[in-house]
Amino acid sequence: PSVPPVSSPSITKLKQSATSATILYIATELAMGLMHAHDRGTLHRDIKPANILITDDATPMLLDFNLSTGDQA
């Protein structure tokens, strides 16, 4: 599925206010990262705010994958 591009806000804007566009940008980037991992058979299984990092250039990153796979062993 194709996702329309969302412009990246500056880190200053992220720190100043949580606008709808900023929240949409973060959610979209995280969802695209999860889709990328899921397409390759990796599941996260522990998505929570503590596992999200926002870099200095306003890039959201999902942490703590623990190398989980889709297998139900």
Side-chain angles (χ1 to χ4, degrees):
S2 177
V3 178
V6 179
S7 63
S8 172
S10 69
I11 192 67
T12 303
K13 186 173 182 178
L14 283 174
K15 289 179 179 178
Q16 290 175 348
S17 67
T19 65
S20 298
T22 301
I23 293 168
L24 177 62
Y25 166 75
I26 291 170
T28 300
E29 291 294 307
L30 293 173
M32 288 174 49
L34 280 172
M35 184 172 67
H36 179 82
H38 288 184
D39 287 348
R40 285 150 183 81
T42 301
L43 303 178
H44 192 282
R45 295 190 178 150
D46 192 24
I47 298 171
K48 59 186 177 187
N51 288 335
I52 298 172
L53 171 73
I54 307 293
T55 65
D56 287 339
D57 65 349
T59 303
M61 298 177 72
L62 191 54
L63 309 174
D64 195 20
F65 271 84
N66 283 332
L67 301 177
S68 299
T69 64
D71 298 335
Q72 296 290 328

